[in-house]
Amino acid sequence: GARLLSPVSQARYLDFFRGIMALATAKRLVPGNPATDLRPIKQDTLSASEKRPPFTTEQIAEIFDSDFYHLWVPGTNNTYRKPDRDWRFWLPLLLAFTGMRPGEVCQMLATDIVQSSGGVWYARVIPTDDEDDDATAKSVKTAFSRRNVPIHPELLSIGFLDFVEARRGDNAVQRLFPNLKKGPRGYFSDYPCRRFREHFLPKMVELQPRQTVYSFRHSFRDALRRIKAPDDVVSALGGWSEGKKVSDAYGNKNDPDYLFSYIEQISYPGTKLNFRYLPFL
């Protein structure tokens, strides 16, 4: 009675199993590879855009005008004390205004937020060495995922830098969200994504089929379309591959000062961020 894995996930697991059995066959531990012809139960009939539809601009506005964010309006007696307080506040905002993946946000360290020579604050999306301590270990999805993402002025105005500075001072490993632990798949984002999918988002907005916390990233891509961002900027900000080009080896497409001129244009018509982050005292 369990929910079937998607065809893409099935293929990934089967490829991994096929590789293990190929090694076992090569080492003559088994007479042959029983996984050679295994394929997913069915083919994926949905396009990438259909799998995770973006939030509409109206939905984005509704999310940031929900009861939870009303608790953070200046002058409100915010007594929300739950352990999810910080990541529940910042995760939707960072996803919507930086286009980062949930896993990239949830594993960030305070030291990943740095300032460029031109004065632009940005997040470094980088992995750590295999030898690094598990408490500070980070990974990236693909080689293209390594990038510098400028912090949107809206995030600065509602207190993101203050939040980061507080983490630098009170957290030994300086993880932005120290309450998060790795889930069964090894990601800090496992639990937050599940909570948003099952509880938080349905309370904020009426979800359409297949919309999840990943829909913020698709909305960010639509926001880049609205400002007619060039392909190199889209690739640099989102960590998406455009395919190999000769020009890729030239220049610095990850220059945060250059990318900031596009990030600051990102907007969601109708959305008003009338709140500010404050630490619970």
Side-chain angles (χ1 to χ4, degrees):
R3 181 172 61 87
L4 289 179
L5 291 171
S6 72
V8 173
S9 295
Q10 291 178 39
R12 187 167 64 247
Y13 282 116
L14 290 173
D15 285 344
F16 189 74
F17 178 56
R18 193 178 298 111
I20 291 176
M21 297 310 299
L23 177 62
T25 302
K27 290 181 174 292
R28 298 184 180 180
L29 300 175
V30 295
N33 188 344
T36 298
D37 297 321
L38 290 181
R39 295 294 182 269
I41 293 174
K42 64 178 182 178
Q43 295 300 310
D44 202 340
T45 58
L46 295 176
S47 66
S49 61
E50 291 174 318
K51 290 177 188 175
R52 289 170 180 161
F55 291 123
T56 65
T57 54
E58 292 80 10
Q59 286 178 305
I60 295 285
E62 193 173 347
I63 288 170
F64 294 124
D65 191 37
S66 62
D67 290 343
F68 176 76
Y69 283 105
H70 282 185
L71 295 173
W72 304 81
V73 173
T76 303
N77 182 22
N78 186 344
T79 57
Y80 191 84
R81 302 169 180 252
K82 294 183 180 180
D84 61 25
R85 187 177 193 271
D86 291 340
W87 59 259
R88 184 175 174 181
F89 179 90
W90 285 114
L91 186 57
L93 289 163
L94 287 165
L95 296 179
F97 287 93
T98 69
M100 294 170 68
R101 298 177 177 90
E104 293 168 343
V105 172
C106 292
Q107 70 180 2
M108 273 202 303
L109 307 177
T111 50
D112 290 329
I113 310 302
V114 295
Q115 193 172 28
S116 72
S117 58
V120 168
W121 287 97
Y122 64 97
R124 299 182 303 169
V125 181
I126 53 175
T128 49
D129 295 330
D130 292 339
E131 294 79 13
D132 282 0
D133 183 85
D134 188 61
T136 58
K138 298 178 298 176
S139 62
V140 293
K141 185 175 182 180
T142 68
F144 297 100
S145 299
R146 295 169 175 258
R147 62 197 191 281
N148 298 324
V149 184
I151 305 301
H152 196 285
E154 290 278 20
L155 301 182
L156 298 177
S157 68
I158 61 177
F160 184 65
L161 287 185
D162 292 338
F163 169 70
V164 171
E165 285 301 320
R167 281 290 176 265
R168 288 178 180 174
D170 67 4
N171 179 10
V173 298
Q174 297 187 351
R175 191 172 291 285
L176 287 187
F177 307 109
N179 289 333
L180 293 179
K181 309 300 179 186
K182 287 185 177 180
R185 299 186 307 150
Y187 301 118
F188 288 101
S189 57
D190 284 348
Y191 178 69
C193 285
R194 178 163 59 84
R195 290 293 291 169
F196 270 99
R197 180 181 70 248
E198 297 177 356
H199 299 283
F200 300 154
L201 285 175
K203 290 181 179 180
M204 292 175 158
V205 66
E206 183 177 348
L207 295 174
Q208 301 302 313
R210 296 184 298 278
Q211 284 184 325
T212 70
V213 70
Y214 291 90
S215 295
F216 284 110
R217 182 164 160 83
H218 293 256
S219 298
F220 179 80
R221 180 64 182 88
D222 283 347
L224 288 171
R225 288 189 178 97
R226 287 195 293 272
I227 65 171
K228 296 179 172 58
D231 290 344
D232 67 320
V233 169
V234 172
S235 173
L237 288 175
W240 291 291
S241 169
E242 296 181 83
K244 192 65 177 176
K245 299 178 180 179
V246 174
S247 61
D248 287 347
Y250 293 81
N252 178 16
K253 69 175 183 179
N254 286 314
D255 177 15
D257 296 308
Y258 166 63
L259 295 174
F260 181 75
S261 64
Y262 291 95
I263 276 285
E264 66 178 344
Q265 297 180 56
I266 294 294
S267 67
Y268 298 96
T271 294
K272 297 181 180 179
L273 306 184
N274 297 324
F275 46 80
R276 181 176 173 81
Y277 173 82
L278 291 173
F280 186 78
L281 304 176

